[in-house]
Amino acid sequence: MTFQPEDAIPIALDLLADSYRQKGRQMSAFLTHLIKVGWVEQCSFRQRNNDFALRTAHDRQSFLEYMERQFGNNWQTSLEQGETREAFLTQHLISPLPGHIHSRVVNAIWGDHSKKQASTPPGISTRDSELIQLRTRMECQLHFAGRIINCRDDMAFSDAVIINETALGKLQSIQCEAPINIITVENAGAWQHLPLPENVIALFVPGNNQKLALKLLSFFPDYQWCHFGDLDQKGLDIAASLARAQNKPLKLLIPDWWNDYQPHFKLGIKQGKIAWRKDICPQSRKYAQHPFINSLADDAKWMEQEAIVLDSRLLDEIRRLFDSDLPG
């Protein structure tokens, strides 16, 4: 299907700049074609405004390639129109660009807005200012290019070892006394107050944001692992995802006495929270048939991990958990 430049290019330039507003009731054949292909969608909350925009950064790139095939490499200047985003950026962005750019900046400049994920343009890599946080009483050293962090020193100063994403990219090796036992913790409050046996590393892993944690874990040659999270469907899913990523059997910290907290601390599943599925834990028969978890699921209730972190029995529970090798 072919279109005349004077019909297609003005619409294309508006779409690349931000959005195109259809004037009148009759939609142009070119815009209809773009919607049918799947590159463009209606973006206004008010249908009568008839605003349309490119859907994703990938669609934007495909659309640019299409316009070049149809109207040549200089199609954006072939008609007297306003400046495009690409032309504007070429004039005003610093050169060379940083080696790593925060993903929110990439989304804002090359996508729709900072909080909507965009495809990273060729030649650009993203690195966010995220942190990895751990607590331990073990003798453990992190060896970076040009620096060694002694975990006991950092723990004595701030009760935590905190490394940002840039520094983690310079990590070369980890030296720890054996055996190495690692417990990943879903929520910050529970991680901060979790009692620490002498041979355990507590690693904060906020929900499904697991990239930095998994990178750090890859430096440990051999370790036992378990996860401590909320007793809800999302908590089980997070734990199962971590187990798959590490190629380890699923192992959860669920003290038998946690069930005693139910009358006082169980919570209802409100709108917006992930409900229990029928198959609550397909990765592990042990936890799929766990009586406490199933009783919560049957009652449409859930339990927060923070409620038990100050229990006097928790320290011994963690010790016993790593002293045993429970099958997944």
Side-chain angles (χ1 to χ4, degrees):
M1 185 176 295
T2 58
F3 301 95
Q4 295 300 314
E6 58 268 25
D7 296 328
I9 291 178
I11 295 174
L13 291 172
D14 283 352
L15 288 170
L16 290 172
D18 185 19
S19 64
Y20 171 73
R21 176 165 294 182
Q22 173 67 31
K23 301 175 180 64
R25 295 184 178 181
Q26 186 66 38
M27 188 178 298
S28 73
F30 180 67
L31 185 60
T32 301
H33 173 69
L34 298 182
I35 296 171
K36 186 176 181 180
V37 171
W39 294 333
V40 169
E41 64 182 0
Q42 190 169 18
C43 63
S44 176
F45 291 108
R46 305 174 185 173
Q47 286 194 338
R48 63 178 180 271
N49 286 343
N50 291 329
D51 287 343
F52 296 85
L54 291 162
R55 296 174 62 249
T56 66
H58 178 74
D59 294 330
R60 184 185 187 89
Q61 184 61 36
S62 298
F63 177 59
L64 280 168
E65 293 170 359
Y66 165 80
M67 291 298 294
E68 289 177 1
R69 290 195 303 270
Q70 295 295 316
F71 304 107
N73 293 337
N74 297 321
W75 69 268
Q76 297 185 54
T77 56
S78 62
L79 296 178
E80 292 186 2
Q81 294 290 334
E83 188 176 37
T84 66
R85 181 189 292 199
E86 279 69 19
F88 177 84
L89 293 176
T90 299
Q91 294 182 53
H92 297 289
L93 289 185
I94 60 174
S95 181
L97 292 170
H100 303 283
I101 304 177
H102 197 288
S103 62
R104 291 289 180 91
V105 175
V106 170
N107 296 343
I109 294 178
W110 288 280
D112 294 333
H113 57 78
S114 64
K115 295 180 178 64
K116 183 176 180 181
Q117 186 172 357
S119 297
T120 305
I124 294 176
S125 63
T126 60
R127 177 178 291 169
D128 297 346
S129 52
E130 295 182 9
L131 302 173
I132 189 72
Q133 302 180 78
L134 63 91
R135 298 174 59 241
T136 186
R137 297 169 60 190
M138 294 178 63
E139 183 62 46
C140 188
Q141 291 185 338
L142 309 180
H143 291 252
F144 299 85
R147 186 183 177 191
I148 297 175
I149 290 180
N150 187 302
C151 292
R152 282 186 174 175
D153 292 342
D154 279 31
M155 284 289 295
F157 177 70
S158 61
D159 197 36
V161 180
I162 303 172
I163 308 165
N164 68 20
E165 188 172 358
T166 300
L168 188 61
K170 301 175 183 178
L171 183 62
Q172 296 177 332
S173 65
I174 297 177
Q175 294 183 1
C176 282
E177 57 187 12
I180 302 171
N181 302 310
I182 298 176
I183 181 168
T184 51
V185 186
E186 179 182 343
N187 296 323
W191 169 80
Q192 179 177 331
H193 293 286
L194 191 75
L196 288 174
E198 295 75 9
N199 61 342
V200 170
I201 296 172
L203 185 60
F204 176 43
V205 183
N208 288 310
N209 189 5
Q210 303 170 2
K211 179 180 69 173
L212 297 191
L214 292 172
K215 184 171 183 178
L216 182 71
L217 288 170
S218 70
F219 282 90
F220 290 98
D222 187 29
Y223 60 94
Q224 289 192 84
W225 168 80
C226 78
H227 182 73
F228 179 40
D230 291 332
L231 289 185
D232 59 6
Q233 187 63 68
K234 184 178 180 181
L236 290 183
D237 291 345
I238 290 168
S241 174
L242 280 167
R244 286 193 299 270
Q246 299 173 85
N247 194 28
K248 287 185 175 292
L250 180 60
K251 190 173 183 179
L252 302 176
L253 173 60
I254 307 178
D256 291 339
W257 44 261
W258 197 347
N259 186 49
D260 300 340
Y261 277 70
Q262 274 207 72
H264 307 286
F265 291 96
K266 63 182 177 182
L267 301 168
I269 296 178
K270 297 181 179 179
Q271 185 176 6
K273 186 172 182 63
I274 298 175
W276 290 103
R277 296 191 301 269
K278 184 177 181 180
D279 188 0
I280 59 175
C281 192
Q283 188 166 336
S284 168
R285 180 182 299 177
K286 171 185 174 64
Y287 296 111
Q289 298 175 352
H290 196 288
F292 180 24
I293 298 176
N294 278 275
S295 69
L296 290 171
D298 291 342
D299 293 340
K301 303 294 184 180
W302 67 289
M303 300 280 284
E304 291 181 306
Q305 62 177 155
E306 289 89 345
I308 69 167
V309 292
L310 300 183
D311 193 292
S312 60
R313 298 166 287 183
L314 187 56
L315 179 60
D316 286 338
E317 190 73 34
I318 296 172
R319 287 194 179 111
R320 284 193 295 268
L321 182 68
F322 284 114
D323 285 342
S324 61
D325 187 17
L326 301 178

